[in-house]
Amino acid sequence: MNFSLIRAVTLAAVAAGSAAAAQTPPAATPPSGGSAPAAGSTVAPIEPVPTATRAPSGIPADRAYRINPGDEIEIYVWGDERLQRTLRVLPDGSFAFPLVGTVKAEGRTTSDLETELGQRLASQYRNAPPQVTVSVKAPSGLQISVIGKVRGPGSFTPGRYVTLVEALALAGGPADFAAVDGIVIIRSKGGQSQVIRGDVGGILKGKPTSRDLAPGGIPLLQPGDTVVVP
């Protein structure tokens, strides 16, 4: 028997089988717990899961409380208890603070005052601004007045910003025969007075319009506003 011929045929068969195996694509491995896709089907690509968007936090800039004359504020300089003070803002809108002098506060936020006080105190702390905390202890300067045909006219200190409807509620509501369609707001700004129409008749009659229910539809009162109900 010709053993050389048999050996050559065997090696040729092994080489052919290896080449066929190399050309055959590997079978897809199904994911854990799943089954293999059917023959001829197309596996859809896996799309990335969208990342949740965090809702904006914090108070909007236009609603942040702004200091008024008569407000009682508390100031604390971290690391120096000698500079802890409780002060009342003067009628001119200012206050005095040790090592700083006079500070204008009216119309500014507590963050504004913290920044200014830290910068003006830096020279006392090797030019490194200290951490300053300013808080409103009593917003006594936030006053509004409601006059005219209401059940309880007067001046009020609500302690927060209120809308025209809330101000009317503080005054006991409109009196009989009040012209709720003709309410006006008198606001002093820059030394001048302006008249703002406060049409809330639909709301008070239980028939609010889409404009009334829209953001900003009900006027938001500012410190010092006077509401006149004819």
Side-chain angles (χ1 to χ4, degrees):
M1 181 178 292
N2 191 343
F3 291 100
S4 299
L5 178 60
I6 294 174
R7 184 171 179 272
V9 172
T10 302
L11 291 175
V14 172
S18 300
Q23 294 176 358
T24 303
T29 302
S32 177
S35 57
S41 63
T42 302
V43 179
I46 300 176
E47 297 182 357
V49 178
T51 304
T53 302
R54 180 178 297 179
S57 61
I59 302 175
D62 58 343
R63 292 298 298 270
Y65 185 78
R66 297 188 178 275
I67 297 173
N68 303 286
D71 283 351
E72 188 175 0
I73 61 176
E74 190 172 48
I75 304 175
Y76 185 81
V77 180
W78 290 89
D80 196 342
E81 295 185 357
R82 298 172 302 172
L83 294 180
Q84 183 175 0
R85 294 286 190 279
T86 298
L87 306 167
R88 188 172 297 278
V89 181
L90 299 176
D92 65 356
S94 68
F95 66 87
F97 194 75
L99 304 178
V100 173
T102 302
V103 179
K104 185 68 175 178
E106 183 177 5
R108 306 177 69 186
T109 65
T110 54
S111 297
D112 295 336
L113 296 182
E114 290 170 351
T115 300
E116 179 177 347
L117 288 172
Q119 292 174 347
R120 295 176 66 175
L121 285 170
S123 61
Q124 307 295 327
Y125 293 84
R126 298 180 180 178
N127 291 323
Q131 183 176 354
V132 181
T133 300
V134 179
S135 59
V136 179
K137 190 174 183 180
S140 308
L142 179 53
Q143 293 186 348
I144 58 172
S145 299
V146 184
I147 61 175
K149 292 182 180 179
V150 290
R151 301 185 186 279
S155 296
F156 305 92
T157 306
R160 62 180 179 85
Y161 291 120
V162 296
T163 65
L164 175 56
V165 174
E166 291 173 319
L168 294 174
L170 292 174
D176 295 337
F177 308 111
V180 293
D181 293 325
I183 298 175
V184 296
I185 303 169
I186 300 177
R187 178 172 299 167
S188 179
K189 188 175 183 179
Q192 297 182 346
S193 296
Q194 60 180 136
V195 177
I196 302 172
R197 184 175 176 79
D199 186 3
V200 292
I203 296 176
L204 298 178
K205 295 174 183 177
K207 298 179 180 179
T209 64
S210 57
R211 185 187 65 179
D212 295 331
L213 300 178
I218 304 176
L220 185 70
L221 299 187
Q222 299 296 322
D225 281 357
T226 299
V227 178
V228 182
V229 182

